[in-house]
C-alpha cells in the first residue's frame, strides 16, 4: 500500500466522524463509534467472499442439531473469526425504516464469533447503536463505511473491464491504518494524552534497549514477548518488528508469539481488534483482560522478553484497592500489618527504629532486605538484637542482582548465550555458596546465626586473602 492510499483511507474514515457524528457526539467521543465500526467493516470485508460457504455450513449443522458451531464456521470462513448472520454489512443499507435497520444490525453483530463479540462488548458498542438509532444516523454511518470510495477488503476492487479500481488492503496495511486512527484519536483527546498511548519513538527506544544488547545471541527459534500493561498493543507490535529486523540482520529466522494483559476495557478491545485486523487470530487470543497485579492471566507461563510502560496519571494504591476489592490500609506503613516475613525493597532508609519496634511487636519471624540498606543503622541493630527474628542483610541477599549482571557480562564477553536453566542453576549455586560462607563465618566466630555479621566477615576474609595472594 502506498502512502497516498494509506492517507486517503485514514482521511476518509476520519471524515465520517465530522460528516455523521458532529451534532450527536462531542469530539472526544467520536472514537466510540469510529474505531469499532472500522473493525466491523474490515471483518465484514474479509468474510464476504466466504459468506455463502459459512451459511451453507451453518444450515447443515442446524439440521444436524450441532450446538458448538464456531470452530466449523471459522474453518469455512478460512479465518480465526466468523459471522453466521444472513447479512453482510452492505445489505443493511437498503433498510428504509430505522427500527428494522437497528434490529437487523444487532442481528448482524450477534452473528459474529465469540472473540469478536468480546471486542464489541468491551467497546460498549451496543450503547452507541442506541444513540445512533435514536438520532437517525445509524444508516448514514453504515453507508459511509461501505462506500465504494474506499476499499477495506483484502481483495482488489475492479472496473468492469477487469482493471484495478481500488487496490487490496492486506492485513499489515489494515493494521497501520487502524494504528494511525488510534494515534489521531489519542492526540485529539488532550485530556487523555499519554494515558494509554506511548510515543512510537519511545517504544522503539525501549525495544532497542531490550533486544540490541543480545542481538548476537538470537537463534533460529521461537520467542515470546509479554506486556503486562499492554494498552492498545503498540509496544508488542513494535517489539515484534524490531526483533524480526535484528534477526534478519544476523541471518536468523524467528517466530514471535505476543502476549499481553490490559485492565481498561476499551484499550483491551483495541489491542485485540488490532491483532485480528492484522490476521493474527492466535495472537489475539493471547491478549487477556484484567489486572496483571491481582488477576494474572498467565500465572504458569514464562516469557523470553517483557516490556511495559506504566500509564501516566494520578493513580494511587487506594483507587486500585477500591476497584479490585483488595485490602488497603490508609495512612499506614506495611510494617504495621502483622506478617511472618518482612522484605523492605523500595528505598534506602525506608524503615526506621519506630518501624523496627512495630515488627518486633508483631512477632515477625524473618526480616530479609531486598534493597540497598533499606533500614537505618539503628533500626537494623534493633532487629538483630531480637532473638525471635532471623535477619538477612542487604549485602548478602541483595547480591543476587550483582550476580545476574556478572553472569550477563560473562556471556557477552565470550559471545555465548546460556539457557534459562543454566543461568538459574549458576545463580542458585552462587547464592547458596554465599549463604554457606556467611553461616560458617558466624559459627566460626561464635556469633550464633548472625548472617549479617557472618556475611561481613566472609566478605572481608575473601578480599584479604586475595590481597595477600597478590602480595599486597
Amino acid at each position: 500500500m502506498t502512502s497516498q492510499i494509506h492517507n486517503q483511507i485514514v482521511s476518509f474514515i476520519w471524515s465520517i466522524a465530522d460528516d455523521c457524528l458532529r451534532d450527536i457526539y462531542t469530539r472526544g467521543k467520536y472514537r466510540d463509534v469510529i474505531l469499532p465500526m472500522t473493525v466491523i467493516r474490515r471483518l465484514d470485508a474479509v468474510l464476504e467472499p466466504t459468506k455463502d460457504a459459512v451459511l451453507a455450513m451453518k444450515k447443515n449443522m442446524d439440521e444436524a442439531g450441532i450446538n458448538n458451531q464456531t470452530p466449523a464456521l471459522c474453518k469455512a470462513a478460512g479465518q480465526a473469526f466468523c459471522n453466521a448472520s444472513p447479512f453482510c454489512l452492505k445489505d443493511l443499507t437498503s433498510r428504509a425504516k430505522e427500527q428494522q435497520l437497528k434490529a437487523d444490525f444487532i442481528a448482524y453483530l450477534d452473528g459474529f464469533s465469540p472473540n469478536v463479540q468480546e471486542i464489541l462488548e468491551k467497546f460498549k458498542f451496543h450503547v452507541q447503536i442506541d444513540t445512533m438509532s435514536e438520532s437517525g444516523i445509524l444508516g448514514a454511518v453504515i453507508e459511509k463505511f461501505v462506500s465504494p470510495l474506499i476499499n477495506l477488503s483484502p481483495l482488489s476492487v475492479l472496473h468492469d473491464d477487469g482493471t484495478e479500481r481500488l487496490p487490496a488492503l492486506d492485513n499489515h496495511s489494515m493494521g497501520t491504518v487502524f494504528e494511525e486512527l488510534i494515534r489521531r484519536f489519542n492526540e485529539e483527546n488532550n485530556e487523555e494524552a499519554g494515558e494509554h498511548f506511548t510515543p512510537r519513538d519511545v517504544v522503539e527506544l525501549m525495544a532497542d534497549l531490550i533486544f540490541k544488547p543480545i542481538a548476537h545471541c538470537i537463534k533460529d527459534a521461537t520467542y515470546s514477548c509479554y506486556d503486562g500493561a499492554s494498552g492498545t498493543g503498540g509496544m508488542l507490535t513494535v517489539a515484534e518488528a524490531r526483533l524480526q529486523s535484528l534477526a534478519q540482520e544476523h541471518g536468523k529466522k524467528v517466530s514471535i508469539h505476543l502476549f499481553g494483559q490490559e485492565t481498561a476495557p476499551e484499550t483491551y478491545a483495541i489491542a485485540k481488534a488490532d491483532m485480528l485486523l492484522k490476521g493474527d487470530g492466535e495472537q489475539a487470543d493471547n491478549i487477556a483482560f484484567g489486572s496483571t497485579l491481582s488477576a494474572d492471566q498467565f500465572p504458569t507461563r514464562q516469557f523470553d522478553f517483557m516490556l511495559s510502560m506504566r500509564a501516566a496519571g494520578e493513580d494511587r494504591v487506594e483507587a486500585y484497592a477500591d476497584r479490585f476489592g483488595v485490602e488497603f490500609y490508609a495512612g499506614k506503613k506495611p510494617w504495621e500489618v502483622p506478617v511472618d516475613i518482612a522484605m523492605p525493597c523500595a528505598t534506602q532508609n525506608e524503615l526506621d527504629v519506630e518501624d523496627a519496634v512495630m515488627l518486633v511487636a508483631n512477632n515477625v519471624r524473618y526480616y530479609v532486605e531486598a534493597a540497598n540498606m533499606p533500614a537505618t543503622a539503628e533500626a537494623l541493630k534493633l532487629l538483630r538484637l531480637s532473638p525471635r527474628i532471623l535477619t538477612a542483610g542487604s549485602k548478602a541477599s541483595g547480591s543476587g542482582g550483582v550476580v545476574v549482571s556478572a553472569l550477563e557480562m560473562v556471556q557477552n564477553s565470550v559471545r555465548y548465550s546460556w539457557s534459562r536453566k543454566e543461568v538459574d542453576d549458576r545463580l542458585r549455586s552462587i547464592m547458596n555458596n554465599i549463604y554457606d560462607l556467611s553461616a560458617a563465618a558466624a559459627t566460626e566466630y561464635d556469633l550464633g546465626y548472625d548472617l549479617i555479621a557472618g556475611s561481613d566477615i566472609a566478605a572481608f576474609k575473601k578480599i584479604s586473602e586475595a590481597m595477600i595472594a597478590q602480595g599486597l
Side-chain angles (χ1 to χ4, degrees):
M1 178 179 63
T2 65
S3 59
Q4 180 182 0
I5 297 296
H6 169 87
N7 292 334
Q8 286 175 352
I9 293 174
V10 171
S11 297
F12 184 91
I13 296 175
W14 187 259
S15 71
I16 296 174
D18 284 332
D19 292 344
C20 300
L21 308 181
R22 180 163 42 190
D23 297 328
I24 311 301
Y25 290 85
T26 61
R27 293 189 68 84
K29 296 295 183 180
Y30 286 177
R31 63 183 295 147
D32 296 350
V33 173
I34 299 301
L35 291 181
M37 278 300 301
T38 302
V39 173
I40 291 166
R41 175 53 183 147
R42 170 61 177 188
L43 300 184
D44 177 76
V46 170
L47 294 174
E48 192 170 350
T50 58
K51 187 69 176 181
D52 291 340
V54 170
L55 293 180
M57 177 64 72
K58 178 171 176 54
K59 182 175 182 295
N60 291 336
M61 288 191 293
D62 286 343
E63 292 174 351
I66 299 174
N67 294 323
N68 183 20
Q69 300 183 356
T70 300
L73 293 178
C74 288
K75 185 176 181 180
Q79 304 292 336
F81 51 90
C82 64
N83 186 303
S85 78
F87 310 116
C88 288
L89 198 57
K90 65 182 180 182
D91 297 333
L92 305 180
T93 58
S94 62
R95 304 300 186 269
K97 294 183 179 180
E98 188 69 34
Q99 286 303 315
Q100 186 63 51
L101 170 62
K102 178 182 177 182
D104 287 350
F105 186 48
I106 291 174
Y108 166 76
L109 297 180
D110 289 345
F112 276 112
S113 48
N115 52 356
V116 178
Q117 294 280 358
E118 185 189 21
I119 292 172
L120 298 177
E121 177 188 341
K122 292 298 188 293
F123 270 128
K124 297 182 173 62
F125 187 60
H126 278 74
V127 175
Q128 311 311 325
I129 296 174
D130 291 337
T131 300
M132 289 189 288
S133 180
E134 290 169 5
S135 304
I137 63 171
L138 179 58
V141 171
I142 294 174
E143 193 167 336
K144 284 284 188 179
F145 271 97
V146 297
S147 168
L149 297 178
I150 62 166
N151 181 28
L152 298 187
S153 168
L155 302 176
S156 299
V157 177
L158 305 178
H159 289 288
D160 293 338
D161 61 2
T163 58
E164 185 177 74
R165 184 170 68 83
L166 292 174
L169 194 66
D170 60 29
N171 290 327
H172 175 74
S173 299
M174 184 64 226
T176 61
V177 167
F178 194 64
E179 288 175 358
E180 176 63 14
L181 289 171
I182 295 168
R183 186 192 68 78
R184 287 197 184 187
F185 278 121
N186 284 334
E187 290 184 351
E188 184 79 11
N189 297 345
N190 291 325
E191 73 276 9
E192 296 179 6
E195 185 172 328
H196 49 67
F197 180 76
T198 305
R200 192 176 184 88
D201 56 345
V202 174
V203 179
E204 290 174 346
L205 175 61
M206 291 177 64
D208 281 345
L209 290 173
I210 291 175
F211 298 131
K212 275 196 170 182
I214 53 89
H216 61 279
C217 300
I218 296 174
K219 301 177 180 179
D220 292 321
T222 297
Y223 293 98
S224 59
C225 185
Y226 172 70
D227 183 352
S230 56
T232 57
M235 279 196 184
L236 289 172
T237 53
V238 170
E240 179 184 29
R242 195 70 187 103
L243 183 54
Q244 285 283 11
S245 175
L246 289 171
Q248 290 176 5
E249 290 176 14
H250 289 78
K252 303 296 182 181
K253 293 182 179 180
V254 297
S255 175
I256 304 168
H257 294 174
L258 303 179
F259 295 81
Q261 186 161 342
E262 172 59 21
T263 186
E266 185 194 40
T267 48
Y268 163 79
I270 291 172
K272 197 148 188 167
D274 193 27
M275 296 293 183
L276 277 181
L277 295 183
K278 292 174 181 173
D280 296 332
E282 182 180 345
Q283 303 275 43
D285 290 338
N286 293 340
I287 305 297
F289 180 70
S291 169
T292 303
L293 299 178
S294 60
D296 182 11
Q297 299 300 303
F298 306 101
T300 61
R301 183 178 285 276
Q302 294 182 327
F303 303 101
D304 297 300
F305 304 101
M306 185 182 84
L307 72 169
S308 292
M309 174 70 77
R310 178 192 178 277
E314 299 300 323
D315 295 341
R316 294 291 182 266
V317 174
E318 185 172 7
Y320 173 89
D322 290 341
R323 180 174 179 183
F324 295 101
V326 297
E327 290 186 81
F328 174 71
Y329 300 88
K332 292 186 177 182
K333 293 183 178 180
W335 324 122
E336 300 178 42
V337 182
V339 293
D340 292 325
I341 304 173
M343 297 180 65
C345 54
T347 58
Q348 188 171 324
N349 294 333
E350 64 172 295
L351 194 145
D352 57 23
V353 171
E354 184 178 334
D355 299 322
V357 171
M358 188 67 68
L359 289 176
V360 174
N362 285 336
N363 294 317
V364 166
R365 297 178 60 192
Y366 302 95
Y367 171 77
V368 181
E369 294 188 328
N372 183 31
M373 294 185 291
T376 64
E378 295 79 7
L380 185 57
K381 182 177 180 181
L382 177 61
L383 293 169
R384 293 175 64 185
L385 289 174
S386 174
R388 298 193 303 270
I389 301 178
L390 175 61
T391 305
S394 59
K395 290 189 188 70
S397 62
S399 60
V402 178
V403 170
V404 171
S405 297
L407 294 175
E408 181 182 3
M409 287 189 288
V410 169
Q411 293 178 81
N412 290 339
S413 66
V414 297
R415 301 183 70 81
Y416 184 75
S417 178
W418 291 324
S419 68
R420 183 193 303 273
K421 185 178 185 305
E422 286 177 296
V423 174
D424 285 346
D425 288 346
R426 291 171 189 269
L427 174 60
R428 188 180 297 275
S429 175
I430 292 171
M431 295 305 294
N432 284 339
N433 186 51
I434 290 174
Y435 168 78
D436 291 340
L437 290 174
S438 300
T443 301
E444 180 182 352
Y445 288 86
D446 296 323
L447 297 174
Y449 201 57
D450 190 338
L451 292 177
I452 292 181
S455 63
D456 288 343
I457 293 170
F460 177 80
K461 288 179 65 178
K462 194 174 188 68
I463 293 172
S464 62
E465 289 169 359
M467 293 175 67
I468 292 171
Q470 294 297 321
L472 299 176

